[in-house]
Amino acid sequence: MKNKDVARLYSKYIMDTYTHLPISLVKGRESRVWDLEQNEYLDLFPGWGVSILGHSPSKVVSHIRNQAGKIIHISNNYYNHLQAKLAQKIVKIAQIDAKVFFCNSGAEANEGAFKLARLYGAGNRYKIITMNDSFHGRTLASLSATGQEKYKKDFEPLPEGFTHVPFNDFEAFQSSVDNETVAIMLELVQGEGGINVADYDYIQRVKKFCNERDILFIADEVQTGMGRTGKWFAYQNFDIEPDIVTLAKGIGGGVPMGAVFAKDKVADCIKPGMHASTFGGSPIACKAALAVVDTIMSKKLLNNVTDMSKYFKGRLLDLKEKYDLIDSVRGLGLMIGVEVKDKGKEIFEGCLANRLLINLTQGNILRFLPALNINKKDIDKAIIILDGVLKEVQR
């Protein structure tokens, strides 16, 4: 079977919900993947940030195999010792006294956060302020929370209760608060929005205001969590404690998983029967996530993120000096964006043709979310490919 044969089957049997690249990936190891025709690619956007340790990391694979031979699924009305162990680890690395709820995706985690916030509002407060250019998921409520109109088209009417304000604008946030406001929700680094990093002072002012008004601070860490920014969670770069945190993507190392954790004052609002997730926190997913946490710790990957972030940004800034096409390089940790003035699609397609897998968001932001264990050799190879593509495109 060839890549084009898979494409034909998709056109007949699969709903047309994605813009597909013309390759069918069948194997991966660390930052390398291979397609059906055995073409090799360097992947610096593995699984949309899901494969945070690269593809098929050995400890995750062995944990999954081991657990599959014992028990795969347990309904959540029974105790699951793996959930208990994982929740304990998450609370420890989060450095917040909190309780955890396990689910399957980022959108589901955010839905849980919305419900927790409304419970905390006790029927009197329900409004949540979110940011322009934010992205919080594809369910109806998370779409309503998302501050990008293009994702909402054709799905109105959406659930009410969400107000969008400009990112990094404290006055706009402050003026949007009323007596029915219960929470603010934001990404410390906007991913889909274009790798926009929150200002430190802005976050400090928002958190102080929230504390004074008893407004919950919800951090959407679906993309930024689990070491992506050089800390376990992005909020730790800003010296704050959110009231609610959502995460997904990298937590399972490739296995579908999400979670929401909240301080006790919020978590204690929810009671049995108010919320659930049939597959949330399955033994397989928890075992994989425990392997992710253990690997990040044992391999000291947070240090690697900091070191490789500095190196990668430096190499990209060298390209900025060389090519007028590049407008800026920004990001936090290994969540990096290169803003180009135009020809973003041509650059993205040129990288794909040269077997470098990256992402293009907002039409002009080249987005990189490499594995946390990326090395200089792979970064150098990516730079060589990108250099060649930029040279060709700028002619």
Side-chain angles (χ1 to χ4, degrees), residues 95-127:
Q95 299 177 318
I96 296 175
D97 289 332
K99 293 184 175 72
V100 185
F101 173 84
F102 292 109
C103 51
N104 307 284
S105 68
E108 194 178 337
N110 286 338
E111 289 280 348
F114 304 150
K115 291 176 76 173
L116 282 169
R118 289 197 173 191
L119 281 172
Y120 188 78
N124 300 310
R125 297 186 294 156
Y126 68 97
K127 293 180 181 177

Side-chain angles (χ1 to χ4, degrees), residues 96-370:
I96 296 175
D97 289 332
K99 293 184 175 72
V100 185
F101 173 84
F102 292 109
C103 51
N104 307 284
S105 68
E108 194 178 337
N110 286 338
E111 289 280 348
F114 304 150
K115 291 176 76 173
L116 282 169
R118 289 197 173 191
L119 281 172
Y120 188 78
N124 300 310
R125 297 186 294 156
Y126 68 97
K127 293 180 181 177
I128 299 174
I129 298 169
T130 63
M131 304 296 112
N132 293 346
D133 297 321
S134 61
F135 183 84
H136 298 294
R138 301 281 189 169
T139 60
L140 289 179
S142 58
L143 273 181
S144 189
T146 293
Q148 300 187 61
E149 292 304 312
K150 65 183 180 182
Y151 293 113
K152 305 180 184 187
K153 188 174 181 290
D154 300 323
F155 296 110
E156 291 90 355
L158 294 171
E160 298 179 353
F162 296 94
T163 302
H164 310 307
V165 298
F167 191 48
N168 280 327
D169 187 335
F170 175 76
E171 283 69 28
F173 158 67
Q174 186 180 37
S175 64
S176 68
V177 172
D178 62 27
N179 291 333
E180 294 176 317
T181 301
V182 70
I184 178 176
M185 182 182 205
L186 53 76
E187 305 150 279
L188 281 304
V189 183
Q190 293 183 329
E192 296 294 315
I195 311 296
N196 306 312
V197 183
D199 294 335
Y200 183 90
D201 290 343
Y202 165 73
I203 295 300
Q204 296 298 309
R205 294 181 71 188
V206 167
K207 189 64 174 74
K208 183 175 183 292
F209 184 86
C210 287
N211 289 344
E212 293 169 350
R213 300 293 186 92
D214 191 28
I215 294 171
L216 299 177
F217 189 110
I218 306 174
D220 181 339
E221 296 258 10
V222 170
Q223 268 191 48
T224 54
M226 303 308 294
R228 172 62 60 191
T229 66
K231 302 284 188 181
W232 280 107
F233 300 100
Y235 67 79
Q236 292 168 332
N237 293 283
F238 296 84
D239 303 312
I240 63 163
E241 288 188 4
D243 299 293
I244 303 174
V245 179
T246 62
L247 62 153
K249 293 199 184 294
I251 186 174
V255 175
M257 190 176 209
V260 53
F261 60 89
K263 287 185 174 181
D264 290 348
K265 69 175 184 178
V266 180
D268 291 347
C269 293
I270 202 161
K271 306 300 178 186
M274 286 184 168
H275 195 51
S277 175
T278 298
F279 296 100
S282 75
I284 291 283
C286 286
K287 196 73 172 180
L290 285 166
V292 170
V293 175
D294 290 346
T295 300
I296 293 173
M297 286 180 171
S298 63
K299 300 292 186 182
K300 299 181 178 178
L301 292 184
L302 297 184
N303 292 337
N304 191 66
V305 170
T306 300
D307 293 342
M308 292 304 101
S309 172
K310 182 178 180 180
Y311 183 75
F312 199 178
K313 287 180 185 175
R315 295 302 312 273
L316 290 168
L317 287 169
D318 289 341
L319 292 182
K320 180 179 181 296
E321 292 297 313
K322 190 174 180 180
Y323 297 103
D324 293 337
L325 268 174
I326 297 179
D327 194 47
S328 67
V329 175
R330 59 178 179 262
L332 188 62
L334 286 176
M335 192 170 182
I336 300 172
V338 176
E339 183 174 359
V340 294
K341 295 171 182 174
D342 58 13
K343 301 187 178 179
K345 185 178 180 182
E346 291 180 51
I347 298 168
F348 168 76
E349 291 176 345
C351 288
L352 176 61
N354 285 276
R355 300 181 186 174
L356 171 63
L357 304 183
I358 62 172
N359 175 251
L360 178 70
T361 189
Q362 300 297 317
N364 69 325
I365 310 293
L366 308 177
R367 183 163 50 147
F368 302 87
L369 297 177

